[in-house]
Amino acid sequence: MSQNISLTPNPLTREAFAPYGNVIEKPGARHFPMNGGKLERYYDLADIRVGAESEGRPVMSIASCCEASKLPLQIRFLERHPHGSQAIYPLFKETMIVVVAPPGERILAEQIQAFYSNGHQGINFHVGVWHLPIIALEDGQEFMLVDRGGPNPNCDEFHFENKQAVRLLPIGDKQTAPST
Amino acid sequence: MSQNISLTPNPLTREAFAPYGNVIEKPGARHFPMNGGKLERYYDLADIRVGAESEGRPVMSIASCCEASKLPLQIRFLERHPHGSQAIYPLFKETMIVVVAPPGERILAEQIQAFYSNGHQGINFHVGVWHLPIIALEDGQEFMLVDRGGPNPNCDEFHFENKQAVRLLPIGDKQTAPST
């Protein structure tokens, strides 16, 4: 069966994103004073897993965008990290587009979901959740990453067949292509 | 012996900070393309230790400043985390003041060092390094923290005697108090 699915990003919320991972944000987080009350600490915002049993360790990186993505775009593949979570937080308060699908050996195109963040939200993909790599919408944007480093391969890709075209539309674009 | 030491923050550099931890910044870091060359990844910027052997795990938090610190200030104590590193990265490109002293059971006032960051630098304290808690200079500033969560106490404090007064001066203030 040939499919033509168009996908419009929805607002990123903890509830909607819960099957895929954490939303890293202050609202709704447990918080308490630190440093004698000079700062408020919003605590434990991401369930970070690095697979210590497979010699994994937490790795912090900064990703800097040198070629912004343009929407609409065709989703041709998703990736997953079988041995670790992956946290991504925007350092320039920028909106991110996040594309995900549930864990499993195959991905059905209609299972793919897209979200957009409000600029003060990061995300943490749970282990094994399918996702698109970072979609940055402007050159020069930067993201803090915390994910797994270690000796074993930790990235699988699932490529869609050509006839399974999934089109990611701009935020707010309600256009839907007819299924054929 | 009574001491009156004044301390002026020096610029934060990898070299100067190496005995105390990592400077989290792009310049000088190993980097390579990710996402088909759309982003450049500056990799493995902090030696994160969370003490898995003591049931530690990585915890991500956001610290939001509700009461800015004013310089000069008196350094009355330093703290250390015996079971984990602590990474702090500014989310609003703000200058941080970082105050440290070498690991050990006691701190000599003259061992204390102060640094200021350029707004695009974070730091990661190595396990056991004495330091002041976050010194934020403006209300509303935010910092990403990655440190250790777990079942055991992970914060010691070392309090200076009253006669050991260490005064932290503003950036650029070259005033030095006479030793008596």
Side-chain angles (χ1 to χ4, degrees), chain A residues 50-51 54-59 147-152 154, chain B residues 41 43-44:
Chain A
V50 295
S54 60
E55 297 178 59
R57 64 185 176 87
V59 169
D147 59 5
R148 175 193 179 276
N152 300 310
N154 188 28
Chain B
R41 180 166 179 161
Y43 189 74
D44 205 4

Side-chain angles (χ1 to χ4, degrees), chain A residues 24 26 34-35 37-45 48 57-67 69 87 89 91-93 133-134 142-147 149, chain B residues 24 26 34-35 37-45 48 57-67 69 87 89 91-93 133-134 142-147 149:
Chain A
I24 301 168
K26 293 189 300 179
M34 64 185 293
N35 298 12
K38 285 178 182 274
L39 295 105
E40 190 75 7
R41 180 167 180 161
Y42 297 80
Y43 188 74
D44 205 5
L45 304 176
I48 296 173
R57 64 185 176 87
V59 169
M60 179 178 281
S61 306
I62 293 175
S64 181
C65 176
C66 30
E67 184 190 329
S69 293
Y89 195 87
L91 295 178
F92 283 18
K93 301 177 202 54
I134 294 173
E142 293 185 355
F143 304 87
M144 175 69 72
L145 305 187
V146 177
D147 59 5
Chain B
I24 300 169
K26 294 190 298 179
M34 63 185 292
N35 298 12
K38 285 178 182 277
L39 295 105
E40 191 74 9
R41 180 166 179 161
Y42 297 80
Y43 189 74
D44 205 4
L45 304 177
I48 296 173
R57 65 186 176 86
V59 169
M60 179 178 281
S61 307
I62 293 175
S64 180
C65 175
C66 30
E67 184 190 329
S69 294
Y89 194 87
L91 296 178
F92 284 18
K93 301 177 202 56
I134 295 174
E142 293 185 354
F143 304 85
M144 175 70 71
L145 304 187
V146 177
D147 58 4

